[in-house]
Amino acid sequence: MLFRNRFLLLLALAALLAFLSLSLQFFHLIPMSAARNGASSKSRKRIMPDPVTEPPVTDPVYEALLYCNIPRVAERSMEGHAPHHFKLVSVHVLIRHGDRYPLYAIPKTKRPEIDCTLMANRKPYHPKLEAFVNHMSKGSGSSFESPLNSMPLYPNHALCEMGELTQTGVVQHLQNGQLLGDIYLKKHKLLPSDWSPDQLYLETTGRTRTLQSGLALLYGFLPDFDWKKIYFRHQPSVLFCSGNCYCPVRNQYLEKEQRRQYLLRLKNSQLEQTYGEMAKIVNVPTKLLRAANPIDSMLCHFCHNVSFPCTSSGCFDMEHFKVIKMHQIEDEKERRKKRLYLGYSLLGAHPILNQTIDRMQRIAEGRKDEVFALYSAHDVTLSPVLSALGLSEARFPRFAARLIFELWQDREKPSEHSVRILYNGVDVTFHTFFCQDHHKRSSKPMCPLENLVRFVKRDMFVTLDSSSTNYHDACHREGV
Ligand SMILES: *[C@@H]1O[C@H](CO)[C@@H](O)[C@H](O)[C@H]1NC(C)=O
Ligand SMILES: *[C@@H]1O[C@H](CO)[C@@H](O)[C@H](O)[C@H]1NC(C)=O
């Protein structure tokens, strides 16, 4: 036990060092122009993080640490970078909620003892933490669309409830918010000092953890958090598709994708054996253990440095953890190859992308509202959006992951607008389907907004199958 704790500590240190050296690489060694000329993009296999610090072979423990996203000081970020004659005119932020308690309990074991109250003397800490709690505890009822108005505004249980946001999760988003506020508000003056409520567009799914994550991010972001200027809309669908959710073909892709997942799992005898061993430890049928999704719980133990559960028949251990995590990674690899998930994603992500370009186009036409949009969401929201944009090499969305769309206006040609896409602070614009060969065709330093618009309105359906050119046809095609 002691050995494993030391091991975890060493791993955390190693990861910290890796990140520090990565940030150094990023800020001092790679000049801005190299990041923009696209030459570097081809040599990269996975988008985040750079291969420089990556272990030579896929390491499930390293991957799990990235997933935890334990808050640390040195955060690298390329948000808000553009040539001088470009002006930032709008920003759209899609986040995954922060670190949370598991969604399922492992049968017949004690739940991990994690405290979901927010305390200044506990790590991780953020300088705005106490002020956040203070402000939230004086919450105003009119800032939320029903049913959000009945939800607690910050986590507050001495033993976390299932799925509850933890202090780590709050700190992750306070940090995201502060980082984005420094760049977008302080540096680029995205909002005027007398900004009005309709310049923010805020939307969250109806989960406590997404609402609270959105609030923490905003609290870190805004210099003066004023309840009168905040209004969160409720999004009933995790795909953010409300009004346009009916799409039979998308569901067919999903069913095929799930079948693929199932068959891959059956082929992995080491995985089956591991589930078998774990089921014996807790003395339930293997099927029941698997259904309880033990990796989700084990990740919580791992991220919070709490030892894995034990019974009188033994303990879950690091070897079990590695086998299941490794299978997840292999599953994602096969998922990319088979492209069923891509089909699901193109249709699943269309409505939120359509909503985003709609907002961008209105700004480009000169409107001044909804300059900053925040969508607070889930891994099952971000994953399809990443995949639909062509960022399938990006890792599975970690806790508090952020995907950002920036809209820039060329001051020299005010009718021209460009977009940048950033995932967890990394500029991935030239990895996307709609701008990956931009530099071959154009000498412009930035990716034109029209590329994204054309992709969302039409090309994404052509990517799917050449016979459809719009969402409705693509959703109702016969015989996929
Ligand atoms: C993990 O927990 C052990 C005690 O159980 C502690 O000694 C160690 O410092 C912790 N490691 C980290 C990285 O917090
Ligand atoms: C796309 O956006 C337009 C403009 O807001 C809207 O009228 C249309 O219904 C949207 N379509 C889909 C499929 O989301």
Side-chain angles (χ1 to χ4, degrees):
M1 191 69 49
L2 187 60
F3 171 74
R4 207 195 45 243
N5 285 333
R6 289 232 178 101
F7 180 58
L8 277 177
L9 176 63
L10 279 177
L11 276 171
L13 273 174
L16 181 64
L17 285 175
F19 268 89
L20 286 174
S21 86
L22 188 64
S23 337
L24 287 177
Q25 294 266 358
F26 219 83
F27 289 121
H28 301 304
L29 300 180
I30 307 173
M32 264 305 286
S33 59
R36 247 187 271 120
N37 73 18
S40 60
S41 52
K42 272 175 228 97
S43 59
R44 247 185 247 175
K45 273 209 278 219
R46 306 198 69 178
I47 287 167
M48 152 97 215
D50 268 44
V52 192
T53 53
E54 271 203 53
V57 287
T58 308
D59 174 359
V61 175
Y62 173 85
E63 297 291 324
L65 273 171
L66 291 178
Y67 177 84
C68 300
N69 188 16
I70 295 156
R72 53 180 70 78
V73 247
E75 249 262 272
R76 69 209 168 101
S77 129
M78 294 292 282
E79 276 108 351
H81 287 241
H84 278 306
H85 56 98
F86 282 87
K87 178 179 188 259
L88 183 69
V89 289
S90 94
V91 172
H92 307 251
V93 181
L94 172 58
I95 54 169
R96 184 187 180 202
H97 58 75
D99 178 79
R100 60 152 169 72
Y101 200 71
L103 298 174
Y104 315 91
I106 299 175
K108 300 197 181 166
T109 58
K110 211 156 98 327
R111 303 207 269 130
E113 278 176 37
I114 293 172
D115 185 341
C116 272
T117 57
L118 303 180
M119 297 205 303
N121 60 1
R122 184 189 319 121
K123 281 182 182 162
Y125 175 69
H126 189 279
K128 286 193 171 183
L129 187 70
E130 289 112 310
F132 171 72
V133 175
N134 248 326
H135 215 102
M136 291 305 120
S137 56
K138 294 177 217 128
S140 122
S142 59
S143 295
F144 306 100
E145 182 179 352
S146 163
L148 306 174
N149 44 12
S150 60
M151 290 179 179
L153 305 181
Y154 57 95
N156 193 20
H157 290 93
L159 173 60
C160 301
E161 309 210 308
M162 303 313 282
E164 186 168 6
L165 195 67
T166 65
Q167 174 156 329
T168 305
V170 170
V171 169
Q172 285 164 338
H173 277 304
L174 285 171
Q175 214 171 62
N176 272 338
Q178 177 140 32
L179 178 117
L180 300 181
D182 284 346
I183 298 171
Y184 295 139
L185 300 185
K186 284 203 191 126
K187 184 163 167 227
H188 288 287
K189 312 269 183 276
L190 181 67
L191 293 173
S193 54
D194 60 342
W195 61 276
S196 66
D198 60 7
Q199 289 181 297
L200 297 189
Y201 180 85
L202 311 170
E203 190 171 349
T204 175
T205 62
R207 297 286 175 182
T208 309
R209 60 181 172 279
T210 45
L211 176 68
Q212 293 173 353
S213 293
L215 285 169
L217 188 145
L218 267 190
Y219 194 81
F221 181 68
L222 297 170
D224 299 295
F225 185 100
D226 177 355
W227 281 115
K228 287 198 284 301
K229 292 185 170 186
I230 308 291
Y231 186 73
F232 265 94
R233 274 161 235 267
H234 171 236
Q235 171 55 249
S237 147
V238 292
L239 287 174
F240 281 59
C241 59
S242 65
N244 289 295
C245 288
Y246 183 63
C247 184
V249 174
R250 183 191 72 218
N251 297 339
Q252 289 169 30
Y253 275 115
L254 186 59
E255 278 157 30
K256 290 197 175 141
E257 162 63 16
Q258 284 164 344
R259 175 95 191 138
R260 177 203 64 72
Q261 263 180 24
Y262 171 74
L263 293 174
L264 185 72
R265 201 189 76 213
L266 289 190
K267 274 196 273 181
N268 188 339
S269 55
Q270 199 190 9
L271 181 71
E272 291 302 295
Q273 191 194 329
T274 299
Y275 278 133
E277 279 172 23
M278 291 166 69
K280 249 192 225 131
I281 290 171
V282 293
N283 192 26
V284 299
T286 308
K287 234 166 55 187
L288 208 135
L289 175 78
R290 201 191 291 114
N293 195 12
I295 189 66
D296 187 55
S297 271
M298 289 175 88
L299 277 165
C300 173
H301 286 260
F302 178 85
C303 296
H304 288 265
N305 190 20
V306 174
S307 42
F308 293 132
C310 292
T311 68
S312 55
S313 321
C315 293
F316 288 5
D317 65 29
M318 207 57 183
E319 289 313 309
H320 300 135
F321 179 75
K322 284 194 213 163
V323 169
I324 306 180
K325 186 71 200 156
M326 199 60 203
H327 176 76
Q328 274 192 334
I329 296 166
E330 275 155 19
D331 179 70
E332 280 175 49
K333 267 189 209 148
E334 199 199 48
R335 184 174 97 173
R336 283 196 280 278
K337 253 191 259 144
K338 294 271 163 89
R339 292 170 69 92
L340 295 164
Y341 188 74
L342 178 64
Y344 166 76
S345 298
L346 286 163
L347 296 172
H350 175 76
I352 189 172
L353 290 174
N354 180 52
Q355 193 189 143
T356 302
I357 57 161
D358 192 42
R359 227 164 247 129
M360 286 184 169
Q361 283 180 305
R362 277 186 281 142
I363 300 282
E365 286 161 12
R367 300 247 318 246
K368 295 273 180 272
D369 57 345
E370 300 182 354
V371 166
F372 180 84
L374 173 66
Y375 312 105
S376 188
H378 304 265
D379 57 350
V380 288
T381 320
L382 265 89
S383 253
V385 173
L386 289 167
S387 174
L389 290 174
L391 303 172
S392 60
E393 298 290 328
R395 286 185 157 82
F396 188 84
R398 65 187 193 186
F399 287 128
R402 60 179 196 270
L403 178 67
I404 297 189
F405 297 71
E406 295 175 351
L407 183 67
W408 297 80
Q409 181 180 35
D410 190 341
R411 286 197 180 96
E412 291 168 2
K413 297 180 198 129
S415 64
E416 291 192 8
H417 290 79
S418 304
V419 289
R420 290 179 80 232
I421 313 290
L422 298 112
Y423 184 47
N424 297 332
V426 180
D427 182 349
V428 294
T429 314
F430 299 110
H431 292 267
T432 60
F433 285 134
F434 62 90
C435 243
Q436 59 192 3
D437 49 6
H438 172 71
H439 293 292
K440 282 189 215 138
R441 300 203 207 143
S442 162
S443 58
K444 289 185 185 161
M446 304 269 277
C447 177
L449 171 61
E450 297 79 69
N451 285 32
L452 175 61
V453 172
R454 205 183 321 120
F455 176 71
V456 175
K457 294 268 180 228
R458 207 192 83 108
D459 291 354
M460 65 191 298
F461 308 110
V462 180
T463 304
L464 185 65
D465 104 293
S466 48
S467 70
S468 313
T469 54
N470 67 62
Y471 181 68
H472 184 268
D473 290 355
C475 282
H476 296 86
R477 210 155 24 101
E478 296 284 322
V480 175

